């Protein structure tokens, strides 16, 4: 009896959790739906809660060190406490809200290199938390974001990689503690002035704020430096705006203003 209680305290023979997403694809500001099956083990338990958390891989700079970590940025409790008897199955349907600032992981059906996103299921029994299922999630761009990325590709920019960095962009209202950078190689007409272009979307229900960082090429006697700029595109007007021309004009003016472009 003492051994059995010890095994129970260690979680042996406890409940299992399986999460099934109706569709793992979503967009910022949308939702994920599915169900969670909680199945009792070989003894009854009191479950404190079942919760879901959306996680992504984040790069963190701390002093002279840099490391990556999984960061949960949206959490939703889907049950309160309940009793789960041995062998009993408890099904929990859910609708999980996806934040507007959620980083993108897909473009044109291709995974963005460097991106990770998952929905984790968590169950607590007797103050012991079981971080069970982690289901991969694919985040596709909103129409306005997609048109902006299309505009860059039409201008000749080539996708390099994407990552998520912890921190806040100066002068931009963010609700999440990190931001995504989508990196592009420049086309020939810009290659003499920049090494790469980094694009960040900070999105809300009304608009997409587009933050551009130009990684300037350094010369023989000059150091490279970063040039920042931003503009906003409303969801409602994106389809009727020539975003390629707008981006091209902004990039040329910004580079000319700093003497980097003829």
């Amino acid at each position: 009896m003492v051994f059995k209680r010890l095994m129970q305290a260690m979680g042996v023979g406890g409940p299992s959790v399986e999460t099934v997403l109706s569709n793992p694809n979503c967009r910022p500001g949308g939702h994920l739906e599915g169900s969670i099956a909680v199945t009792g083990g070989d003894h009854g338990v009191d479950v404190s809660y079942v919760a879901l958390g959306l996680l992504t891989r984040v790069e963190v700079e701390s002093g002279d060190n840099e490391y990556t970590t999984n960061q949960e940025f949206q959490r939703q409790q889907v049950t309160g406490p309940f009793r789960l008897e041995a062998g009993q199955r408890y099904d929990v349907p859910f609708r999980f809200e996806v934040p507007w600032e959620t980083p993108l992981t897909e473009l044109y059906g291709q995974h963005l290199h460097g991106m990770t996103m998952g929905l984790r299921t968590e169950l607590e029994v007797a103050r012991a938390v079981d971080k069970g299922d982690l289901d991969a999630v694919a985040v596709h761009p909103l129409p306005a974001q997609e048109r902006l990325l299309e505009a860059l590709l039409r201008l000749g920019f080539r996708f390099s990689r994407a990552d998520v960095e912890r921190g806040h962009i100066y002068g931009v209202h963010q609700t999440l503690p990190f931001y995504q950078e989508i990196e592009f190689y420049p086309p020939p007409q810009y290659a003499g002035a920049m090494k790469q272009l980094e694009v960040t979307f900070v999105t809300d229900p009304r608009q997409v704020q587009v933050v551009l960082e130009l990684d300037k090429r350094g010369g023989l006697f000059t150091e490279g430096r970063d040039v920042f700029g931003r503009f906003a595109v409303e969801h409602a007007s994106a389809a009727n705006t020539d975003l390629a021309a707008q981006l091209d004009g902004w990039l040329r003016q910004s580079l000319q203003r700093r003497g980097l472009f003829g």
Side-chain angles (χ1 to χ4, degrees), residues 148 151-152 154-155 157 187 189-190 194 197 212 214 227-231 241-258 261-262:
L148 284 157
L152 286 169
R154 289 213 315 273
L155 289 172
F157 285 90
Q189 66 266 32
Y190 296 115
M194 70 175 84
L197 175 68
L212 302 177
L214 286 61
V227 178
F228 291 85
R230 70 175 188 267
F231 60 90
T241 304
D242 188 343
L243 293 175
Q246 185 172 328
L247 280 165
D248 184 56
W250 186 91
L251 289 169
R252 288 177 183 274
Q253 288 175 16
S254 181
L255 292 169
Q256 286 169 354
R257 197 179 307 125
R258 292 163 175 83
F261 200 68

Side-chain angles (χ1 to χ4, degrees), residues 57-71 164-166:
R57 198 80 173 151
V58 175
E59 292 188 5
V60 182
E61 288 188 14
S62 178
D64 295 330
N65 298 320
E66 187 174 301
Y67 63 93
T68 59
T69 183
N70 288 330
Q71 178 157 352
V164 177
E165 298 190 10
R166 184 178 291 174

Side-chain angles (χ1 to χ4, degrees), residues 13-26:
S16 62
V17 179
E18 182 179 4
T19 301
V20 177
L21 288 167
S22 302
N23 186 346
N25 299 284
C26 65

Side-chain angles (χ1 to χ4, degrees), residues 4-249:
K4 183 175 181 180
R5 283 201 300 268
L6 177 62
M7 295 294 282
Q8 291 178 4
M10 294 171 62
V12 177
S16 62
V17 179
E18 182 179 4
T19 301
V20 177
L21 288 167
S22 302
N23 186 346
N25 299 284
C26 65
R27 297 181 192 273
H31 61 271
L32 293 161
E33 292 184 345
S35 62
I36 304 166
V38 185
T39 305
D42 57 16
H43 55 276
V45 294
D46 291 311
V47 177
S48 301
Y49 67 82
V50 177
L52 293 166
L54 194 58
L55 293 85
T56 192
R57 198 80 173 151
V58 175
E59 292 188 5
V60 182
E61 288 188 14
S62 178
D64 295 330
N65 298 320
E66 187 174 301
Y67 63 93
T68 59
T69 183
N70 288 330
Q71 178 157 352
E72 180 181 281
F73 61 96
Q74 177 79 338
R75 183 179 179 82
Q76 188 173 314
Q77 189 167 314
V78 293
T79 77
F82 62 94
R83 177 69 182 176
L84 186 69
E85 300 297 344
Q88 180 186 3
R89 174 167 166 150
Y90 189 78
D91 290 308
V92 186
F94 66 84
R95 179 185 171 97
F96 186 92
E97 302 301 320
V98 178
W100 283 96
E101 293 176 24
T102 299
L104 308 178
T105 68
E106 315 293 316
L107 181 61
Y108 299 124
Q110 299 295 314
H111 182 75
L112 293 181
H113 175 67
M115 290 304 303
T116 301
M117 189 75 60
L119 188 68
R120 183 171 65 191
T121 308
E122 187 177 285
L123 177 144
E124 181 183 285
V125 175
R127 294 186 296 280
V129 177
D130 175 20
K131 298 182 185 298
D133 264 6
L134 181 63
D135 296 273
V137 170
V139 185
H140 299 262
L142 291 161
Q145 295 171 324
E146 192 167 59
R147 285 184 58 82
L148 284 157
L149 293 169
E150 281 177 357
L152 286 169
L153 297 177
R154 289 213 315 273
L155 289 172
F157 285 90
R158 293 177 295 115
F159 172 73
S160 168
R161 66 185 302 275
D163 62 19
V164 177
E165 298 190 10
R166 184 178 291 174
H168 289 81
I169 302 170
Y170 178 77
V172 177
H173 174 69
Q174 290 173 237
T175 61
L176 296 181
F178 54 71
Y179 56 91
Q180 180 180 35
E181 288 188 335
I182 305 175
E183 300 174 8
F184 293 88
Y185 296 117
Q189 66 266 32
Y190 296 115
M194 70 175 84
K195 289 187 291 186
Q196 66 180 14
L197 175 68
E198 297 176 352
V199 180
T200 295
F201 296 134
V202 182
T203 307
D204 62 36
R206 185 174 67 87
Q207 66 181 8
V208 181
Q209 288 195 74
V210 186
V211 182
L212 302 177
E213 180 179 348
L214 286 61
D215 188 359
K216 174 191 172 294
R217 285 194 179 278
L220 183 59
F221 302 107
T222 60
E223 292 185 3
R225 66 182 187 275
D226 295 335
V227 178
F228 291 85
R230 70 175 188 267
F231 60 90
V233 177
E234 293 190 355
H235 296 295
S237 62
N240 302 316
T241 304
D242 188 343
L243 293 175
Q246 185 172 328
L247 280 165
D248 184 56

